[in-house]
Amino acid sequence: MDIGTELYRKTLLTIAGNRLVEHWSLKYGKKLASKFIAGDTLAEALTQIEALNQKGIMATLDHLGEGIRHLDEAAGYREEYVRLVRGIADRGVDSNVSLKPTQMGLALDPETCYANIRAVVAEAAKHHNFVRIDMEDTPFTQATIDIVRRLHAEGLTNVGTVIQAYLYRSLHDVDAMMQEGIRLRLVKGAYKEPSTVAYQNASDVITNFKKMIQMHLDQGIYTSVASHDDTMINWVKTYVQQNGISKDAFEFQMLYGLRMSEQAKLAQEGYRIRCYVPYGVMWYPYYTRRLAEKPANLMMVLKNMFN
């Protein structure tokens, strides 16, 4: 991610936050967004995961939604996630679970949010499944980490979270949670953050990202590296080869609809690869972050539009 790409990302996120842009996108953009979304329903998403599994690709299933306004919406998301966990078990697919704390009510009532997430994690534990609590923007960073720690303290250790390399605090968070046995997904970060909390230079983000990955691999802790960047992926491949680290000690993670042929290729090469599979009707925030990741994603959508 160079300086031009970072400028593009910030600009697109700013534009996407405009209410008029959002209105017209919601009205006319769903067909374009469908490339990144596995369907409106759980059944559609599970069918897509079955197809991924046949190619040797694992999944993590996400029901889209964030930033709710009423707690009854959170209750609805909780029940959908319980159904989702059971659906994974019933269909016998190889998939974890991902959820966002704000869709469970974090911005409205932290205790209700915790109870909702706990219900999902407890259900997943019954089915020997793992729940990843996605990391959102910085107003929720500490609260999300606190939720995961609290669940672990209660014995629900089938839950982890995500650490974003562009935050200054991330190396400290990684070190602390590694010592606590909390499984992490390591990412660059996809939100628009100020210089007071996050690196603004792409090279600094990459340096921090590599440090986070090395900390895991060097201590023999299972490592989840989420990236579509060939440079990062090849760096990880080289690092594990040079240090005699097994392919079973880590996994690559990518997003549904992006570089699917590369995901299949990694699986064929014997690497563990997990695809983040979202479904549902609340697709706009997720979709705009995908477009903002790099200009090539937007160009792909525009090409499909004109075709």
Side-chain angles (χ1 to χ4, degrees), residues 17 43 47 52 76 85 111 124 143 165 172 174 176 180 193 217 227 244 254 275 278 295:
T47 297
L52 291 170
V85 169
E111 281 302 310
H172 170 76
V174 167
E180 296 167 28
E193 301 283 7
L217 293 173
S227 178
M254 295 188 186
C275 184

Side-chain angles (χ1 to χ4, degrees), residues 62-63 77-85 98-99 104:
D62 169 65
H63 180 51
Y77 280 123
R78 180 196 66 223
E79 293 309 306
E80 176 65 11
Y81 264 96
V82 169
R83 195 168 73 90
L84 180 160
V85 169
S98 287
L99 61 81
M104 295 294 175

Side-chain angles (χ1 to χ4, degrees), residues 120-179:
V120 176
V121 175
E123 183 67 27
K126 294 178 185 177
H127 298 282
H128 307 288
N129 209 337
F130 177 80
V131 177
R132 182 82 65 185
I133 301 181
D134 288 339
M135 188 62 73
E136 299 174 88
D137 49 354
T138 49
F140 304 107
T141 301
Q142 189 60 51
T144 300
I145 291 172
D146 290 344
I147 288 170
V148 177
R149 283 177 167 150
R150 184 175 170 186
L151 288 166
H152 272 247
E154 292 187 23
L156 290 169
T157 58
N158 62 314
V159 61
T161 189
V162 182
I163 297 296
Q164 300 162 319
Y166 63 6
L167 297 182
Y168 301 143
R169 62 177 288 169
S170 290
L171 286 181
H172 170 76
D173 289 334
V174 167
D175 184 57
M177 284 187 282
M178 281 172 47
Q179 294 181 39

Side-chain angles (χ1 to χ4, degrees), residues 64-129:
L64 291 169
E66 53 195 271
I68 62 169
R69 297 181 180 179
H70 306 285
L71 284 177
D72 57 350
E73 297 176 70
Y77 280 123
R78 180 196 66 223
E79 293 309 306
E80 176 65 11
Y81 264 96
V82 169
R83 195 168 73 90
L84 180 160
V85 169
R86 293 171 180 167
I88 290 172
D90 291 343
R91 291 282 283 266
V93 295
D94 187 348
S95 178
N96 292 161
V97 178
S98 287
L99 61 81
K100 286 184 171 55
T102 58
Q103 72 185 137
M104 295 294 175
L106 183 57
L108 303 177
D109 185 339
E111 281 302 310
T112 298
C113 171
Y114 181 78
N116 288 335
I117 291 176
R118 192 186 188 285
V120 176
V121 175
E123 183 67 27
K126 294 178 185 177
H127 298 282
H128 307 288
N129 209 337

Side-chain angles (χ1 to χ4, degrees), residues 19 30 41 127 138 176 179 208 214 222 248 268-269:
R19 290 188 177 182
K30 184 178 179 181
T41 68
H127 298 282
T138 49
Q179 294 181 39
N208 219 36
Q214 284 178 298
Y222 189 78
D248 293 332
Q268 291 169 3
E269 292 174 351

Side-chain angles (χ1 to χ4, degrees), residues 266-282:
L266 286 168
Q268 291 169 3
E269 292 174 351
Y271 291 100
R272 293 174 60 82
I273 171 72
R274 188 177 303 276
C275 184
Y276 186 98
V277 180
Y279 76 96
V281 297
M282 301 297 290

Side-chain angles (χ1 to χ4, degrees), residues 1-16 166 188-193 198-200 205 288-289 291-295:
M1 183 172 63
D2 56 25
I3 295 175
T5 302
E6 180 63 13
L7 178 60
Y8 159 81
R9 186 179 74 86
K10 292 178 180 178
T11 302
L12 194 144
L13 288 174
T14 299
I15 294 171
Y166 63 6
K188 289 180 184 176
Y191 291 87
K192 184 181 178 183
E193 301 283 7
Y199 295 108
Q200 304 298 302
V205 177
T288 55
R289 289 197 297 276
L291 293 185
E293 285 175 349
K294 58 182 180 179

Side-chain angles (χ1 to χ4, degrees), residues 164-226:
Q164 300 162 319
Y166 63 6
L167 297 182
Y168 301 143
R169 62 177 288 169
S170 290
L171 286 181
H172 170 76
D173 289 334
V174 167
D175 184 57
M177 284 187 282
M178 281 172 47
Q179 294 181 39
E180 296 167 28
I182 296 173
R183 286 171 54 183
L184 302 173
R185 176 196 296 144
L186 307 178
V187 303
K188 289 180 184 176
Y191 291 87
K192 184 181 178 183
E193 301 283 7
S195 60
T196 52
V197 298
Y199 295 108
Q200 304 298 302
N201 187 301
S203 64
D204 291 333
V205 177
I206 294 296
T207 298
N208 219 36
F209 197 16
K210 290 179 178 179
K211 287 180 181 178
M212 288 162 45
I213 296 169
Q214 284 178 298
M215 288 169 68
H216 272 70
L217 293 173
D218 290 351
Q219 295 191 36
I221 297 173
Y222 189 78
T223 309
S224 299
V225 180

